[in-house]
Amino acid sequence: MPTPLPPYLTDEQRAIITADVDHAVITAVAGSGKTTTLAWRIRYLLEQGQDPARLLVLMFNRSARQDFQAKLRHITQGTGLRLPDIRTYHAMGYRLYRRFVQEGALPPVSDQILTDQEINFQVWQLTRQLAPEHLQDELKRNKKELVETAAGFIDRVKTTLSPVEVVFEQLGFSDKYQYLVDLFHSFEQWRKTQRRISYADMLYEPVSAIHQSSRLQRLVSNKMDLILVDEYQDTNEIQHLLLRYVAGERARVTVVGDPDQTIYEFRGARPEFILNRFSDEFESPRELTLTYSFRYGHRVALLANHLISHNTGRKDVLCHAHPSTPDTRITLHETEQEVDQVLALLAHYQAQGTPLSDIALLLRLWSQSVAIELALLARQLPYVIDVGKGALFTSEAAALIALLQVCSGQLPAMTPEARFETARQLLRFPHVGLKEQELNALARLLSQFQEHWGQRLLALDFDALPAVAGRKLKRLGTTLNTLAGFQGNAASLLKQYSEGTELNEGLRSLALTHEAADERIATLRGFQQYLQTAGLDSTAALAHLQALQAQAAQSGQTGVRLATLHRTKGLEWPVVILPGLQEKHLPYTGRPVEDLRSHIEAERRLLYVGITRSRQALHLITRPNPSSLAMAGENDPSRFVAELHAPLADRLGAALCAPDPQNSCTLELPLTPIAKRYAARAGITLLGPEANPVGEGTPAPWQAARIRHSLFGRGSVTGERDNAFDVTFDSGEQRSFSKQSAHLYFTLENH
């Protein structure tokens, strides 16, 4: 007879644990205790007589598998039950690979899996062979970025069975990187010749083989009675196909996940697998939910619900704070001085005795961390950042230090070899268009002189140089001449240098992607912002940055956590600080996209994941509302700020923590349908003014005088037809838009 379930489990958890064995989709909100629920489900099934040899549990990665094994062992301790296999997708794929070798369906391979270093080396060799002539110099300048991109492209192709040419088009690479298609085929030819496989091949090869062979399909299918799959929102095409083939017609499959937390699209994950594809391909699955969060309180739950309800690609599931959760506080800070606000919050928590390791700073882009990281170093506040990251170890930092060395008169005190490296940095900042050997020769020439590098460059025979290189070197020489002996703020020096050398344009022309260019330019802006605040001249700024660099190299293993939103899945902290809630960063709109609605929904899911990492306090930092229509759109508060309904979430969340004896609550703030649904579930009748639904009481975009588009900025409506309207933007550009989809892209100027 099954052991009675513990009293702390919710009714939803009990329903899942004791459900009949059938196909099922479980939508589990952030922090809902799904690991505990699945572990109890397995114990219940085993006590019911389920054969553990015919029960398979699939986890997303090794860390998740280890955590689940520990949880399952704890829950089944003392029962004497034999436990089922708990595998990652890759482990299951590799087992099938070895089986197919025995069957003669796949060629034998070495037991030594290809390492990242081996893959990167071979990718580099092939890149040098296959890249067109006009990219050869860029290869030497940006070896690391190009190798990482090519290796990532190979892995991305192997998340699907689509032809490599199709994947290349879907990822939106520039035509000049068309060689990546040939590189993929050449890499595969080399790998097979060497009889080696990568981790991606553990899935790609066996699934490709199964897909093409009915014999292999019969070999792998129908061996299991029950399959449980965790984190299904992170599933890609190849994983979905593997599950389908292994399940066959016999296995009943349960998948658990949260479509609202699909944030790994760049790895091939798509929410459609858990939203549609599973139900289409596994007949009539039972739909179950885990809607109570055990991580955060009512305020955060209300924020999360209001935000994510604007997405269309989701299930209408309302997350609700369990009564056992803390009363998580939320604060929305509107400030122009983001770094100062972050420092003030850290000082506040330090004064309260909160360890800095309890605090996480979550960012959309790494470049957002530059000014913050420099400020933390300057105040000797410890922080933890991902390996290989950090503002002071970027190529931008190295080039900035080189510029300060030249302009602050440090060259005479440097060795010729140090001057050579400084010259090389400047000649790449931006790159002057010389081949590597020519660039090194010019750097060697400059290193022989202890001053007047600008004059030395202007003395070159520009007629003997390629036209583009001549123009760039002349700009660099003129700019260095102008800045010689510069006495002002180092931030002004960097600004003048950037303008004189057309630095931003140079960075954009060499970047592999629009995003990479934006990151590099934003990193420089972060340095400029910090130097402007510090108020240091070039000599003092150089000494300061070098001291910070030495300090950063000694960073410890504890302190404030700096992380991007993509790296926070499954994690949580007592205090979460989310800076950068402005249009340029969240949603990130660095370049036009074909499907803007899907892009905005993906960005909204990122913010949803970020705000649901907090347990005790959540701080959101945004910009003040613009006081002038002339302000740039990217400096405006993020559109997501209004969607959060923070004042309502704060007031209602506080009321739910101390409910009225009459089980009613009256608020002066306009009530939303989300707020009323949430309060009703808590048994509270919510009273107050009704918020205007979308389209009611608010002019349509084409009826307003001034509107703002999510990508094109502000403009005025200049014409209207039955199904469309015309807008003239402040930039002078004129465009027509469909009325049907206008609400996805436009906001009213005064709303």
Side-chain angles (χ1 to χ4, degrees):
M1 181 176 178
T3 303
L5 298 177
Y8 60 77
L9 294 171
T10 66
D11 290 344
E12 290 177 335
Q13 290 174 313
R14 291 169 182 272
I16 290 169
I17 292 166
T18 61
D20 293 338
V21 177
D22 209 341
H23 294 313
V25 178
I26 302 173
T27 303
V29 303
S32 61
K34 62 184 176 61
T35 302
T36 297
T37 305
L38 288 180
W40 273 105
R41 168 67 168 164
I42 291 172
R43 172 171 170 165
Y44 177 86
L45 291 171
L46 295 176
E47 290 180 334
Q48 290 281 341
Q50 170 66 49
D51 181 358
R54 300 185 73 89
L55 196 164
L56 172 63
V57 182
L58 282 176
M59 309 302 289
F60 192 66
N61 54 37
R62 187 179 304 174
S63 175
R65 178 178 62 82
Q66 291 170 344
D67 290 345
F68 189 76
Q69 282 177 324
K71 175 70 74 173
L72 183 59
R73 282 195 294 265
H74 174 72
I75 284 177
T76 58
Q77 188 174 13
T79 63
L81 294 169
R82 188 162 61 93
L83 302 183
D85 261 355
I86 302 170
R87 304 180 202 165
T88 64
Y89 272 107
H90 285 90
M92 182 172 69
Y94 190 49
R95 182 175 294 193
L96 288 175
Y97 197 112
R98 307 305 297 185
R99 176 70 184 277
F100 291 174
V101 169
Q102 295 173 3
E103 295 289 329
L106 286 175
V109 291
S110 167
D111 289 333
Q112 291 184 312
I113 306 302
L114 281 168
T115 65
D116 289 342
Q117 291 81 2
E118 290 176 299
I119 292 171
N120 289 342
F121 178 77
Q122 184 60 28
V123 163
W124 172 238
Q125 298 300 318
L126 292 171
T127 299
R128 293 198 299 174
Q129 296 172 25
L130 298 171
E133 180 64 30
H134 67 272
L135 283 180
Q136 289 301 318
D137 285 336
E138 186 175 340
L139 301 183
K140 298 171 184 176
R141 296 191 296 268
N142 297 320
K143 173 181 175 180
K144 183 174 184 293
E145 181 181 10
L146 288 167
V147 167
E148 288 178 350
T149 299
F153 176 69
I154 291 170
D155 274 358
R156 180 62 185 273
V157 172
K158 294 179 180 182
T159 65
T160 175
L161 294 184
S162 299
V164 60
E165 294 82 3
V166 172
V167 178
F168 181 88
E169 292 295 329
Q170 290 173 341
L171 294 178
F173 281 110
S174 169
D175 288 343
K176 67 179 180 178
Y177 297 106
Q178 185 70 38
Y179 73 90
L180 289 174
V181 173
D182 291 334
L183 188 146
F184 173 84
H185 293 304
S186 296
F187 179 86
E188 287 298 273
Q189 184 178 8
W190 168 83
R191 181 183 64 76
K192 292 174 181 177
T193 301
Q194 299 295 313
R195 296 193 172 188
R196 303 287 298 281
I197 62 169
S198 67
Y199 282 99
D201 294 314
M202 292 180 182
L203 296 175
Y204 181 70
E205 289 288 351
V207 173
S208 298
I210 297 170
H211 193 68
Q212 299 172 41
S213 169
S214 57
R215 180 177 72 87
L216 294 183
Q217 291 174 23
R218 291 191 298 272
L219 186 68
V220 303
S221 297
N222 302 312
K223 303 299 186 292
M224 294 291 161
D225 293 330
L226 179 62
I227 303 175
L228 301 177
V229 188
D230 192 22
E231 300 288 1
Y232 205 67
Q233 79 279 345
D234 294 329
T235 293
N236 59 39
E237 178 78 25
I238 216 79
Q239 293 166 331
H240 175 81
L241 289 173
L242 180 59
L243 173 65
R244 194 179 71 187
Y245 285 131
V246 170
E249 299 299 323
R250 177 188 182 109
R252 303 295 93 183
V253 181
T254 296
V255 297
V256 187
D258 183 3
D260 295 333
Q261 295 187 70
T262 305
I263 62 172
Y264 295 143
E265 289 98 331
F266 61 92
R267 296 179 186 169
R270 299 200 303 271
E272 70 180 63
F273 289 111
I274 190 170
L275 287 171
N276 306 312
R277 288 280 295 276
F278 183 84
S279 298
D280 291 343
E281 297 174 22
F282 292 87
E283 185 179 359
S284 303
R286 182 193 302 265
E287 295 197 8
L288 301 164
T289 55
L290 289 173
T291 61
Y292 281 105
S293 174
F294 297 89
R295 178 184 297 156
Y296 44 82
H298 294 303
R299 291 175 170 92
V300 170
L302 284 161
L303 283 181
N305 285 314
H306 276 117
L307 174 72
I308 207 64
S309 66
H310 287 79
N311 272 12
T312 56
R314 64 184 301 267
K315 292 186 177 179
D316 185 21
V317 173
L318 203 69
C319 71
H320 206 282
H322 190 267
S324 65
T325 57
D327 178 16
T328 313
R329 301 305 175 104
I330 60 171
T331 310
L332 181 65
H333 306 272
E334 296 183 357
T335 177
E336 299 277 4
Q337 306 301 324
E338 183 174 88
V339 175
D340 291 344
Q341 182 64 67
V342 169
L343 294 174
L345 288 171
L346 296 181
H348 166 74
Y349 282 108
Q350 279 188 304
Q352 287 189 340
T354 301
L356 289 179
S357 57
D358 283 358
I359 304 172
L361 272 162
L362 307 185
L363 312 157
R364 173 62 179 89
L365 304 167
W366 276 122
S367 57
Q368 291 176 257
S369 72
V370 174
I372 294 172
E373 186 185 350
L374 294 173
L376 293 178
L377 285 167
R379 287 156 181 78
Q380 297 189 333
L381 292 171
Y383 63 91
V384 179
I385 198 166
D386 283 349
V387 175
K389 299 295 181 182
L392 287 157
F393 303 106
T394 60
S395 58
E396 290 74 30
L400 174 57
I401 287 174
L403 175 64
L404 292 173
Q405 287 172 330
V406 173
C407 294
S408 63
Q410 300 297 309
L411 293 177
M414 298 166 62
T415 66
E417 205 55 40
R419 288 198 295 269
F420 171 67
E421 288 302 323
T422 294
R424 278 164 47 88
Q425 290 289 353
L426 277 190
L427 293 174
R428 291 190 172 102
F429 188 61
H431 201 284
V432 294
L434 293 175
K435 293 183 178 180
E436 191 72 3
Q437 186 176 359
E438 296 168 336
L439 185 146
N440 287 337
L442 180 55
R444 187 66 67 187
L445 173 67
L446 290 175
S447 70
Q448 298 174 19
F449 300 97
Q450 299 183 5
E451 58 184 352
H452 304 312
W453 278 10
Q455 294 180 19
R456 303 298 174 186
L457 290 173
L458 292 175
L460 294 172
D461 182 4
F462 294 113
D463 291 336
L465 294 170
V468 173
R471 286 196 299 272
K472 291 183 176 181
L473 284 167
K474 187 176 290 187
R475 278 199 299 266
L476 177 59
T478 301
T479 304
L480 290 179
N481 242 6
T482 302
L483 295 175
F486 187 88
Q487 298 296 316
N489 189 305
S492 298
L493 184 149
L494 178 56
K495 182 174 185 293
Q496 291 186 40
Y497 181 86
S498 299
E499 293 172 350
T501 61
E502 298 182 358
L503 178 56
N504 289 357
E505 291 79 359
L507 294 177
R508 287 196 183 282
S509 68
L510 293 175
L512 185 67
T513 63
H514 292 285
E515 289 84 352
D518 288 343
E519 277 281 75
R520 297 197 68 185
I521 293 169
T523 296
L524 283 172
R525 286 177 181 165
F527 276 107
Q528 187 174 336
Q529 175 189 345
Y530 176 78
L531 292 173
Q532 183 67 49
T533 303
L536 303 173
D537 62 23
S538 57
T539 302
L542 174 62
H544 183 61
L545 290 178
Q546 288 175 327
L548 294 184
Q549 196 173 55
Q551 185 179 330
Q554 301 171 1
S555 60
Q557 301 300 313
T558 186
V560 181
R561 175 65 172 164
L562 297 182
T564 61
L565 290 169
H566 279 109
R567 294 177 177 268
T568 62
K569 191 81 156 303
L571 303 176
E572 58 183 51
W573 293 270
V575 179
V576 167
I577 302 173
L578 260 166
L581 290 184
Q582 64 189 75
E583 278 296 292
K584 178 65 174 177
H585 295 149
L586 255 176
Y588 173 65
T589 50
R591 63 185 176 95
V593 293
E594 289 186 8
D595 188 346
L596 184 60
R597 181 184 62 79
S598 294
H599 173 73
I600 296 299
E601 292 200 354
E603 293 292 298
R604 193 177 280 117
R605 289 194 294 269
L606 261 182
L607 180 55
Y608 174 85
V609 167
I611 64 180
T612 56
R613 301 306 98 192
S614 55
R615 293 202 305 264
Q616 297 172 7
L618 172 66
H619 296 272
L620 305 168
I621 304 178
T622 187
R623 311 275 295 190
N625 280 309
S627 57
S628 166
L629 297 182
M631 289 185 66
E634 69 180 45
N635 289 321
D636 286 353
S638 166
R639 75 197 70 186
F640 296 154
V641 171
E643 295 176 2
L644 291 167
H645 288 278
L648 177 61
D650 190 42
R651 296 286 296 278
L652 177 55
L656 292 173
C657 290
D660 183 273
Q662 305 301 317
N663 289 330
S664 66
C665 176
T666 302
L667 299 176
E668 315 83 46
L669 296 167
L671 305 181
T672 62
I674 291 290
K676 291 193 289 186
R677 283 176 60 190
Y678 193 95
R681 184 171 183 187
I684 302 294
T685 301
L686 198 56
L687 306 173
E690 295 288 332
N692 284 327
V694 175
E696 294 183 22
T698 300
W702 54 89
Q703 296 172 328
R706 294 281 297 174
I707 54 179
R708 186 181 72 194
H709 190 275
S710 55
L711 287 182
F712 303 118
R714 292 185 164 85
S716 301
V717 177
T718 54
E720 181 188 353
R721 298 177 296 285
D722 288 344
N723 299 314
F725 61 102
D726 303 318
V727 178
T728 300
F729 292 98
D730 293 353
S731 64
E733 187 173 5
Q734 297 180 339
R735 286 178 175 265
S736 296
F737 298 91
S738 165
K739 289 182 177 180
Q740 184 177 4
S741 58
H743 66 285
L744 297 173
Y745 315 119
F746 284 100
T747 54
L748 307 188
E749 199 63 274
N750 297 318
H751 288 263

